Amino acid sequence: MSQPSLRPRPVVYLFASAAPPALQLPDVVRRARRRGWDIAVGLTPTARDWLEDRVPELEELTGYPVKSAYRRPGQPDVLPPADAVLFAPATFNSVNSMAAGITSSWVVGCAAESPGKGIPVLVMPCVNSALAAHPQFARSVAVLQEARMQVLYGEDGFVPNRPGERLPYPWESALAAVEQAL
């Protein structure tokens, strides 16, 4: 008879900025938990505002508080250590902030420092084609890759849509990439 695995479930931080796919987070959490992962959700302040009425549901699904602000000095961390970070959807602002090292939001700061701690970070942008055409965006994607983050952008990830167009967000590609990173 086989012994049950003593290996704990991997902890994946699921971070989101304020883009329409963030509204799908409860379903994404369910899908990720079916893969055998513990999920902790982090939101930019604007994403938290967008999802305020869904925060109790997210906390019930994950068993952890939804985090969107830095803790005060001396306060304990409310989340277990991450085995991987998935930042999806990552807006134009979040991608550029991470690349520039502007960590005014907790999720951007946590994602920015995670590669330095040996934690895999996967970033799936959510930008329209007009923003993707801005020269800073390509530079920021290159900087994130240089910082040892996996950017799920282009053919195997997110493909920008036209402004105002709503196409399905490739969540399954993001989850499959996390599976590989774990």
Side-chain angles (χ1 to χ4, degrees), residues 18-63:
L23 301 173
Q24 301 164 356
L25 284 185
D27 179 58
V28 176
V29 168
R30 287 182 191 93
R31 291 164 61 185
R33 290 196 44 81
R34 282 194 295 269
R35 289 176 177 260
W37 308 335
D38 277 345
I39 302 296
V41 173
L43 302 171
T44 63
T46 304
R48 173 116 191 178
D49 183 54
W50 282 24
L51 290 162
E52 192 60 42
D53 62 336
R54 308 289 304 271
V55 167
E57 177 184 9
L58 288 166
E59 290 178 342
E60 185 176 323
L61 286 169
T62 64

Side-chain angles (χ1 to χ4, degrees), residues 74-140:
Q75 285 184 322
D77 200 341
V78 296
L79 302 178
D83 294 301
V85 174
L86 172 60
F87 199 142
T91 60
F92 182 78
N93 185 57
S94 292
V95 168
N96 290 329
S97 293
M98 273 189 290
I102 299 170
T103 59
S104 55
S105 113
W106 177 77
V107 294
V108 170
C110 183
E113 76 177 356
S114 289
K117 294 178 173 182
I119 301 167
V121 176
L122 299 93
V123 178
M124 184 175 280
C126 184
V127 298
N128 65 41
S129 57
L131 288 172
H134 190 288
Q136 185 56 50
F137 186 71
R139 288 193 288 266
S140 291

